[in-house]
Amino acid sequence: MTQLTQAIVLGLLIGGVYALMASGLTLIFGVMNIINIAHGAFLVLIAMVTWWMWRETGIDPIVASVVTTPLMFAFGWVVYTLVISRVRNAPPSMSVLLTFGFAMVIEGVLNVTAGNKFKSAAPSYFEESFRVGGISLPKAQLFGFLAAMAVLAVLYFVLTRTWTGRAIRAATQNPSGAALVGVGASGTAALAFAIGAATTGVGGSILSVLYPFFPASHYDWISRLLGIVVLGGMGSLPGALAGATILGLAETLTATYGSLAWSTLVFYLVIMAVLLFRPHGLFGARLREDAP
């Protein structure tokens, strides 16, 4: 029983981190109908920046997110203004190709500047744990989870309790109606993209501690995050949280009672099973395809 409880706790801790990483991706899709394939590259970019800051200054990698988050917010705004806005009204395939190309550019720059080798930040508490009864809580996973939950709480508050959040949700649900009350589609889209990019500031800093990474590892991360978003429902933040929790539990339970090598396969089997019965995902809205 203790082993099962331990696996569930670790799965929830990892799932919280995955939820943060996927939240920006699903937010951008919900507002702009754009799948940002470069989202995984953003995470790896910030992981690399965090690793460099930790190596040069000794700053705690998770605390470094105080710097990396506003940095990625500004970076996201610039990327949208100079790049993404040019294909805002183009077919979705254009945004997929464009963001994939942008991910390739980030990977190439990191290969040249940092080298094609695995890196990982290891703060002093990296191998330490808290003990609660018979359950072990690794400090790195716990601190990463708490940081992720704090950011998700702030994101939820902004989206549900502020005028900015209401404007973003209005542009998501009814763009023409939002325009009638003065909510500009272009400005809202830029803000949503910047907020989505800002979540990678914290997510990438946490990633640098919990997982080894190198420039090309963004392929693995974007595939995981897209799986989470599809399972939960495209554009749904609660869906991203549910999908991330399922992935975290699938990984830890499979690793505990089977093999870690099978954990990702089990997750995608769960996605296939769910989508057979709910093609729009767990929290996605069913849309009419016959409407003009």
Side-chain angles (χ1 to χ4, degrees), residues 196-267:
T199 63
T200 65
V202 183
S205 293
I206 298 172
L207 185 157
S208 71
V209 178
L210 300 187
Y211 299 95
F213 61 91
F214 71 111
S217 57
H218 69 93
Y219 295 112
D220 177 51
W221 283 106
I222 193 60
S223 64
R224 289 189 190 193
L225 299 182
L226 284 174
I228 289 171
V229 171
V230 169
L231 176 61
M234 299 293 285
S236 170
L237 284 174
L241 179 59
T245 301
I246 292 172
L247 174 57
L249 290 173
E251 286 190 349
T252 56
L253 290 173
T254 305
T256 300
Y257 296 102
S259 169
L260 183 60
W262 290 93
S263 58
T264 303
L265 175 61
V266 169
F267 171 66

Side-chain angles (χ1 to χ4, degrees), residues 44-53 55 105-120 213-216:
V44 174
L45 172 64
I46 286 302
M48 195 71 72
V49 171
T50 301
W51 171 83
W52 178 83
M53 292 173 62
R55 186 190 66 177
V105 171
I106 293 175
E107 179 186 346
V109 171
L110 291 179
N111 273 324
V112 172
T113 58
N116 193 25
K117 296 180 179 180
F118 278 101
K119 295 177 173 60
S120 181
F213 61 91
F214 71 111

Side-chain angles (χ1 to χ4, degrees), residues 33-65:
N33 201 31
I34 286 178
I35 300 175
N36 180 21
I37 302 299
H39 196 80
F42 288 179
L43 286 168
V44 174
L45 172 64
I46 286 302
M48 195 71 72
V49 171
T50 301
W51 171 83
W52 178 83
M53 292 173 62
W54 167 77
R55 186 190 66 177
E56 297 297 324
T57 68
I59 186 173
D60 183 275
I62 297 177
V63 173
S65 61

Side-chain angles (χ1 to χ4, degrees), residues 277-281 283-289:
F277 299 96
R278 290 184 63 85
H280 47 288
F283 288 81
R286 187 185 298 274
L287 301 177
R288 286 184 57 190
E289 297 293 343

Side-chain angles (χ1 to χ4, degrees), residues 5-30:
T5 304
Q6 178 73 67
I8 292 174
V9 169
L10 291 178
L12 293 176
L13 293 179
I14 295 300
V17 174
Y18 286 160
L20 171 63
M21 293 179 177
S23 63
L25 183 64
T26 199
L27 174 65
I28 291 171
F29 178 84

